[in-house]
């Protein structure tokens, strides 16, 4: 009831605000004509068309219904005008979608002039004021909006009417953030996720998630290091202090080692240095200097023009000087004497006749001028053959050399010093007391020496960027000033240049320092962006050590537990627990009403538009056909409700496929089964014909074809009429034993006489044949008998079936007399036939021929065996030849009479048999005999 009231009130409100002229609004598959203020999407028009169309977001192809939409889409004169945030053209397929960002409409149902905010390329802390009536979001984009409660509300889906949101999400006034959800893992706070799924980093940031500073940048905002600094303390936690300054006019820039580069590119060497053999300027000691153990070029001793590196021993002396035997580093002048042999004292020289005083500048000399001094006088030092004085710092006049009181010469400064001096010079000063006052570019001055970097406990004074000054006593190390501590003494921690007892918030302790956390974290356990222990307000979600701005789409952030909780099943996205805090609905058949997802109840055949969360019928007001209002009725537009028609001139045919019904599937299955059964029956019939053909072939070969007998045909007809079990045949009634024996004996006698007649005729015909052919016949007969006996033994040993009580008399007589005739054809009687001439004991007792082989007897002469592997006694007695005399009926023996009487008594006691008996077949393991099938 409540939903009906809301729908009705919504309808009349929309009707009141609708446009005065009708509009056709379309989605893929449906168009609706009426009044609307909706501006989302694009306007499609074509010359000659009945009206223009407002296309809502979706995908349109050349087969999209209805026909009105299809005709304008495929028209060659079609043109399209997109609303803010949409880019569209008339090429098909047309995917009309909002660009990455959010479109804010001042009225509900996406009405009014929209303001589009694009997905930013760089992070921005600025906010913009909005007054939304509805929101349209691009796919994979979420926005953070704050309202009257100052809480952040995250929207993942379009909102057709802000007034239908839950009470906690009302009064939206500020757009805080727009981000894409396509990046995995999510970008850090400095990065922006692009629509392609990659993080765009601002200048100075680096990493796949923009989580670190690029080299040369430091601090939370990744600002650049000082321009005069080659290397600074960079990184997110770096202080930016200069570690390696930029060296201006470095000696290496002009291929120089121990000198200063001039503006013209040449090199001015320090005193005592000259160009090396490899061409490098100021790389070796000049003449009159040697390389000592400290790496400096020191002047050679007095009177020495060349000396050796290392110890300074003189290699060559000045003219008139000799090497001092006691000190090889010096060359001494000869003692001055007059022509009369007088030795001149110190301070004088000999002019030949007498000794003359030296110049006041000389202590000893070889002539009257100051240039003739061998050792300069007090306060004077020799350099380039002259004696010069010094200033108060011990620096020789007119040079950068310093006085050496031991050598009485002006010596060079250390190799990396451009200038040097004595702290307090006097006659007792030694050369090792010299201190540098200036250094080559790239070196710093520390305690009178030029070194590459300031030692621990000192810092580079920013006043001249040359002098290393001592840190304050409270600092272990410092930078920039003596009181800006990097490490502290007394087990304290350095935080922002000060020594403290414990690290403040948003920092962590590491190596005696309080290092600032990553900007994404409020507190942390390390400097990385995935080592957060708590999160700031703009990134409240703590997941796997990372602080994220929002939970996933189907979750909301619970401030009480500071964790993400799942939305209700009816919500696609939500702002809180339960079904009344939905921001969008998960079902395509529901719409949002007061934060709750209810049934859409769309009018007519319209549905909820995907991505907009509203019915098409709610966007378009269609006046009732029975309306009595003074307004004119809607114009009739052809093709607004009709699907695409298929005509011969049309190149497009729409084929609608429907799913198969259950009875169609059943018929298909039964048809397949019927075809399979037919195939199986045909195959079985073919196999039966092949088996019958094989049976007939076998019967013909064995002379067993009884198909012409009327009894056989009658028995087969009865079997077909009444049925029978496989392996059973109907037999004639059993005759009396005596009658059967008499018939058997008579048949044998008749067959024997017939065979004897044939034998006599054969003997006359074969009389002229040679003995070789007769011998061959005997051998062939023996082989056949061997095969017969072997086959008989195999059948008795391998079969569980008892022998038939009615064997074929014809086969019996044929085999018996064939054996006899084959033996009679020879002039000699075969030993085998002689041995089997007597009847067996079984035959004498029962009067029937023995069916089994006789017991084997040893054979003495192996030659009597011929090719057979059996002894002669192996032959059955029923194969023994009859005596040549005609058969006579002799009286039965007592054993035969006894056997016959016992048989008659057994038959008298047994119930009379009527009809016949059954012969039971037995499986012999895959026999191909057709009579066993």
């Amino acid at each position: 009831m409540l939903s009906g009231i809301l729908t009705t009130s919504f309808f009349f409100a929309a009707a009141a605000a609708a446009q005065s002229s009708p509009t056709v609004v379309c989605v893929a598959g449906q168009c609706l004509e009426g009044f609307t203020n909706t501006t989302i999407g694009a306007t499609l028009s074509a010359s000659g068309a009945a009206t223009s169309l407002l296309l809502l977001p979706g995908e349109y192809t050349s087969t999209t219904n209805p026909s009105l939409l299809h005709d304008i889409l495929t028209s060659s004169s079609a043109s399209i005008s997109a609303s803010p945030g949409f880019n569209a053209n008339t090429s098909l397929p047309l995917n009309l979608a909002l660009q990455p960002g959010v479109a804010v409409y001042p009225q509900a149902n996406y009405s009014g002039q929209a303001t589009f905010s694009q997905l930013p390329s760089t992070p921005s802390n600025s906010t913009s004021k909005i007054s939304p009536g509805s929101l349209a979001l691009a796919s994979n984009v979420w926005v953070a909006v704050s309202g009257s409660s100052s809480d952040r509300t995250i929207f993942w889906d379009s909102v057709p009417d802000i007034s239908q949101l839950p009470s906690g999400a009302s009064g939206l006034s500020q757009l805080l953030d727009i981000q894409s959800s396509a990046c995995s893992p999510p970008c850090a706070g400095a990065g922006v996720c692009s629509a392609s799924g990659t993080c765009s980093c601002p200048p100075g940031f680096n990493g796949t998630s923009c989580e670190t500073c690029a080299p040369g940048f430091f601090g939370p905002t990744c600002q650049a290091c000082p321009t005069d600094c080659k290397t600074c303390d960079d990184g997110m936690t770096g202080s930016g202090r200069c570690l390696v300054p930029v060296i201006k006019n470095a000696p290496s820039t002009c291929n120089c080692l121990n000198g200063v580069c001039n503006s013209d590119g040449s090199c001015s060497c320090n005193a005592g240095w000259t160009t090396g053999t490899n061409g490098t300027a100021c790389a070796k000691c000049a003449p009159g200097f040697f390389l000592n153990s400290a790496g400096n070029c020191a002047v050679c001793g007095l009177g020495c023009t060349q000396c050796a590196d290392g110890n300074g021993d003189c290699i060559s002396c000045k003219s008139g000087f000799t090497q001092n035997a006691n000190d090889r580093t010096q060359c001494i002048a000869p003692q001055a004497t007059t022509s009369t042999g007088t030795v001149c004292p110190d301070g004088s020289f000999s002019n030949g006749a007498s000794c003359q005083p030296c110049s006041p500048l000389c202590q000893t000399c070889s002539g009257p001028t100051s240039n003739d001094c061998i050792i300069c006088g007090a306060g004077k030092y020799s350099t380039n053959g002259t004696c010069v004085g010094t200033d108060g710092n011990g620096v020789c006049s007119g040079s950068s050399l310093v006085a050496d009181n031991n050598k009485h010469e002006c010596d060079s400064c250390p190799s990396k010093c451009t200038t040097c001096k004595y702290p307090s010079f006097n006659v007792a000063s030694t050369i090792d007391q010299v201190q540098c006052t200036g250094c080559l570019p790239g070196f710093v001055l520390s305690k009178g020496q030029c070194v590459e970097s300031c030692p621990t406990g000192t810092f580079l004074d920013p006043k001249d960027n040359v002098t290393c000054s001592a840190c304050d006593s409270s600092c272990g190390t410092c930078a920039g000033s003596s009181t800006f501590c990097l490490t502290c003494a007394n087990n304290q921690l350095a935080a922002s240049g000060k020594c403290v007892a414990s690290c403040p918030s948003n920092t962590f302790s590491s190596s005696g320092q309080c290092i600032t956390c990553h900007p994404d974290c409020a507190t942390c356990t390390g400097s990385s962006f995935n080592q957060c222990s708590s999160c700031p307000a703009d990134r409240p979600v703590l997941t796997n050590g990372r602080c994220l701005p929002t939970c996933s789409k189907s979750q909301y952030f619970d401030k009480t537990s500071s964790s993400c909780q799942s939305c209700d099943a009816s919500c696609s996205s939500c702002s809180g627990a339960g079904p009344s805090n939905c921001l969008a609905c998960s079902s395509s058949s529901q719409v949002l009403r007061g934060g709750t997802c209810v049934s859409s109840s769309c009018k007519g055949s319209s549905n909820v538009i995907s991505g907009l969360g509203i019915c098409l019928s709610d966007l378009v007001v269609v006046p009732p056909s029975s309306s009595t209002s003074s307004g004119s009725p809607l114009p009739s537009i052809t093709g607004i409700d009709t699907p695409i028609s298929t005509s011969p001139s049309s190149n497009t045919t729409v084929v609608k496929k429907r799913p198969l019904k259950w009875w169609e599937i059943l018929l298909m299955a039964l048809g397949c089964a019927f075809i399979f059964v037919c195939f199986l029956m045909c195959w079985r019939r073919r196999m039966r014909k092949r088996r019958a053909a094989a049976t007939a072939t076998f019967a013909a070969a064995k002379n067993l074809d009884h198909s012409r007998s009327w009894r056989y045909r009658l028995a087969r007809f009865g079997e077909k009429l009444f049925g029978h079990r496989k392996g059973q045949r109907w037999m004639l009634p059993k005759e009396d034993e005596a009658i059967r024996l008499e018939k058997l004996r008579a048949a044998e006698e008749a067959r024997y006489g017939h065979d004897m007649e044939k034998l006599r005729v054969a003997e006359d015909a074969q009389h002229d044949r040679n003995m070789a052919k007769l011998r061959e016949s005997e051998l062939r007969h023996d082989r056949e008998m061997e095969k017969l006996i072997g086959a008989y033994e195999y059948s008795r040993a391998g079969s569980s079936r008892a022998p038939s009580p009615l064997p074929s008399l014809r086969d019996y007589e044929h085999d018996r007399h064939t054996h006899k005739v084959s033996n009679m054809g020879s002039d000699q009687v075969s030993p085998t036939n002689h041995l089997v001439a007597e009847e067996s004991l079984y035959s004498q007792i029962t009067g029937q021929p023995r069916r089994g082989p006789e017991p084997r007897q040893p054979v003495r002469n192996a030659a009597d065996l011929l090719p057979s592997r059996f002894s002669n006694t192996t032959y059955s007695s029923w194969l023994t030849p009859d005596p040549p005399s005609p058969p006579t009926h002799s009286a039965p023996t007592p054993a035969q009479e006894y056997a016959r009487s016992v048989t008659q008594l057994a038959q008298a006691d047994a119930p009379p048999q009527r009809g016949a008996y059954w012969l039971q077949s037995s499986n012999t393991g895959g026999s191909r005999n057709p009579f066993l099938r």
Side-chain angles (χ1 to χ4, degrees), residues 585 587 589-593 596-600 608 613-615 618:
C585 298
S587 175
S589 62
Q590 290 182 325
V591 294
L592 190 66
R593 293 289 183 267
T596 304
C597 292
V598 298
S599 178
S600 60
V608 176
I614 190 172
C615 297
D618 292 338

Side-chain angles (χ1 to χ4, degrees), residues 85 275 291 309 531 535 559 583 587 592 612:
T275 303
L291 188 67
D309 291 340
Q531 292 180 306
C535 299
K559 291 184 177 181
L583 300 178
S587 175
L592 190 66
L612 298 183

Side-chain angles (χ1 to χ4, degrees), residues 66 69 188 336 344 347 352 361 363 398 467 526 532 542 627 649 796 877:
L69 175 59
C344 296
L361 299 179
Q363 180 180 349
T467 305
C532 302
L542 181 63
S627 176
S649 61
R796 288 184 59 83
S877 60

Side-chain angles (χ1 to χ4, degrees), residues 290-543:
F290 71 96
L291 188 67
N292 60 18
S293 59
N296 302 321
C297 284
V299 68
C300 294
L302 286 175
C304 185
T305 58
Q306 184 180 1
C307 50
D309 291 340
N311 53 16
D313 290 347
C314 190
I315 298 175
S316 63
C317 297
K318 292 181 180 180
S319 176
F321 284 73
T322 59
Q323 190 173 22
N324 189 347
N326 297 324
D327 186 0
R328 299 185 63 83
T329 61
Q330 295 182 357
C331 291
I332 57 176
Q335 193 173 20
T337 59
T338 62
S339 57
T340 59
T342 302
V343 177
C344 296
D346 290 342
S348 63
F349 68 95
S350 173
N351 60 0
S354 63
C355 294
Q356 298 294 327
C358 294
S359 170
L361 299 179
C362 301
Q363 180 180 349
T364 60
C365 63
S366 60
T369 65
S370 60
N371 293 330
D372 296 327
C373 294
I374 297 175
I375 298 176
C376 295
K380 305 296 181 181
Y381 299 91
S382 175
T383 176
N384 296 326
T386 62
C387 292
V388 296
T390 63
D391 61 9
N393 295 322
V395 178
C396 295
S397 301
S399 69
S400 60
L401 301 176
V402 291
D404 187 344
N405 289 323
N406 291 325
K407 293 181 180 179
H408 302 281
E409 293 182 288
C410 292
D411 208 344
S412 62
C413 294
S415 59
K416 303 305 177 183
C417 298
T418 55
T419 58
C420 59
K421 68 176 183 177
Y422 285 96
S424 56
F425 179 70
N426 53 49
V427 295
S429 298
T430 57
I431 194 64
D432 58 356
Q433 295 176 350
V434 173
Q435 293 182 355
C436 297
T437 57
C439 298
L440 294 176
F443 291 84
V444 294
L445 189 62
S446 175
K447 295 181 180 180
Q449 295 181 353
C450 290
V451 294
E452 293 183 355
S453 61
C454 292
T456 303
T458 63
F459 69 100
L460 186 65
D461 194 338
K463 295 178 181 179
D464 57 6
N465 285 331
V466 173
T467 305
C468 293
S469 302
C471 295
D472 188 78
S473 60
S474 62
C475 300
T477 57
C478 61
S481 69
S482 60
T483 58
F484 189 89
C485 299
L486 299 179
T487 59
C488 297
N490 303 323
N491 295 325
Q492 287 189 314
L493 301 173
S496 300
K498 297 180 180 180
C499 294
V500 294
S502 61
C503 290
S505 178
N506 197 32
T507 61
F508 68 97
S509 176
S510 176
S511 302
Q513 295 180 348
C514 293
I515 301 176
T516 305
C517 292
H518 193 276
D520 287 359
C521 308
T523 58
C524 61
T525 57
S527 60
S528 178
F529 75 130
N530 58 0
Q531 292 180 306
C532 302
S533 54
S534 64
C535 299
D538 60 338
R539 302 179 71 87
V541 180
L542 181 63
T543 303

Side-chain angles (χ1 to χ4, degrees), residues 181 257 588 742 856 884:
S181 61
L257 186 60
S588 60
E742 289 296 333
R856 299 180 62 178

Side-chain angles (χ1 to χ4, degrees), residues 209-298:
S209 300
C210 306
E211 71 276 11
T212 61
C213 290
F217 295 84
F218 71 96
T221 60
C222 290
Q223 55 185 336
C225 291
T227 55
D228 58 348
C229 202
K230 184 177 181 180
T231 303
C232 74
D233 182 17
D234 56 8
M236 283 281 185
T237 60
S239 62
R241 65 186 178 92
C242 187
L243 301 178
V244 179
V246 175
I247 301 175
K248 298 178 181 180
N249 201 27
S252 59
T253 59
C254 60
N255 193 27
C256 187
L257 186 60
N258 295 298
V260 179
C261 294
N262 300 318
S263 59
D264 59 355
S266 61
C267 181
S268 297
C269 297
N270 292 341
W273 293 90
T274 188
T275 303
T277 55
N278 60 355
T280 303
C282 313
K284 74 173 184 177
C285 294
F289 293 84
F290 71 96
L291 188 67
N292 60 18
S293 59
N296 302 321
C297 284

Side-chain angles (χ1 to χ4, degrees), residues 549-567:
T550 180
C551 301
S552 62
K553 182 177 180 179
S554 60
Q555 294 179 326
Y556 70 95
F557 182 72
D558 184 12
K559 291 184 177 181
T560 304
S561 61
S562 297
S563 62
C564 293
Q565 302 295 329
S566 298
C567 295

